[in-house]
Amino acid sequence: MTHIRVPISKLTSGRRVLAAAALTAVTALALTACGTEQSDGGGKAGSAGSSTASQRPSPEQAATQALFDRFEKACPEPGANSRRPTGASKPDTAEPETIAPGETPPADPIEPAPPTGPEAELDDRDWCVSGHHEQRVIAALQKVADPTPTTVRKTLNGLGYTDERIHHLEQDGKKTRFYLDLREDGGRLCESGVAAGASSDVVPCVGAAEGPFKVTSEVRP
């Protein structure tokens, strides 16, 4: 048998080249995997963090929502409206009034006109919630000696109504007129207010069901 003799230095050099190549490949794979994990993890955390921050209400908004929730819990379920006629009217069983000699009896019975405006469009729950808001707003405005738009806004803010709920603050002589947007969950309740010291007044109104605040129905005494 013929023996081929190769210098040990050449074998050692070849092994070193193979080992270095293997180490480089392993390192590259490890770095790629590590980069992928960091990229995925960072992306998820950033997305969740930004989403949570965008959905988290401000302290003022949270206080306003708590106020609304408290009033709604104290009122009946939505839907019923005792002010709106339901079904046919019951027959009148009362005895007819006596007609004086020479007078002509009415041809048709006189029936009360159906309610319109807020009375027809707001349900019992709306009226109940409205009453809670009106009491506290009127009581606070009666203490305002100089009801300018600035002082009225400050008073309403102090009661928990954020600026996004306050609309159309306008000076009217010594009075200030305004609206409160109380729409919640598809409701249409709003309040029409007049700040005038001891004569301050707040009554319910009806706002647009969707979109920016707009009064669609209002009746002032």
Side-chain angles (χ1 to χ4, degrees):
M1 179 181 295
T2 304
H3 296 278
I4 300 175
R5 296 183 179 180
V6 180
I8 295 178
S9 59
K10 290 186 178 183
L11 292 176
T12 304
S13 176
R15 291 173 181 170
R16 287 177 180 173
V17 171
L18 292 174
L23 179 60
T24 301
V26 172
T27 303
L29 289 173
L31 289 175
T32 301
C34 181
T36 302
E37 292 177 0
Q38 290 179 351
S39 177
D40 292 344
K44 293 180 181 178
S47 175
S50 59
S51 176
T52 303
S54 63
Q55 295 178 1
R56 186 181 300 119
S58 67
E60 293 78 10
Q61 291 173 330
T64 300
Q65 189 60 53
L67 179 70
F68 281 32
D69 292 344
R70 188 174 83 236
F71 290 163
E72 289 181 355
K73 289 179 181 178
C75 292
E77 292 297 321
N81 188 348
S82 58
R83 293 168 174 78
R84 187 185 302 122
T86 56
S89 58
K90 295 180 180 180
D92 187 5
T93 57
E95 295 183 1
E97 296 182 0
T98 303
I99 305 298
E103 292 185 359
T104 303
D108 298 315
I110 300 175
E111 297 182 358
T116 59
E119 286 197 13
E121 298 181 65
L122 300 178
D123 60 21
D124 291 348
R125 181 188 184 89
D126 291 328
W127 285 92
C128 175
V129 172
S130 175
H132 286 287
H133 285 285
E134 290 170 20
Q135 289 180 359
R136 64 197 307 268
V137 172
I138 292 175
L141 292 178
Q142 287 177 339
K143 300 176 183 179
V144 180
D146 184 21
T148 64
T150 300
T151 56
V152 170
R153 181 183 295 278
K154 183 177 180 180
T155 301
L156 295 175
N157 287 157
L159 292 174
Y161 302 101
T162 57
D163 285 343
E164 62 189 17
R165 296 276 184 178
I166 305 171
H167 298 273
H168 308 312
L169 274 168
E170 296 180 357
Q171 186 86 39
D172 182 9
K174 295 183 178 180
K175 302 177 292 185
T176 291
R177 299 183 180 275
F178 64 93
Y179 289 98
L180 284 178
D181 181 4
L182 304 181
R183 296 177 298 172
E184 283 286 303
D185 299 327
R188 303 177 61 191
L189 176 63
C190 62
E191 296 291 338
S192 170
V194 176
S199 302
S200 296
D201 185 35
V202 179
V203 297
C205 58
V206 183
E210 298 178 352
F213 177 74
K214 178 182 178 182
V215 177
T216 61
S217 180
E218 174 186 4
V219 177
R220 277 209 150 272

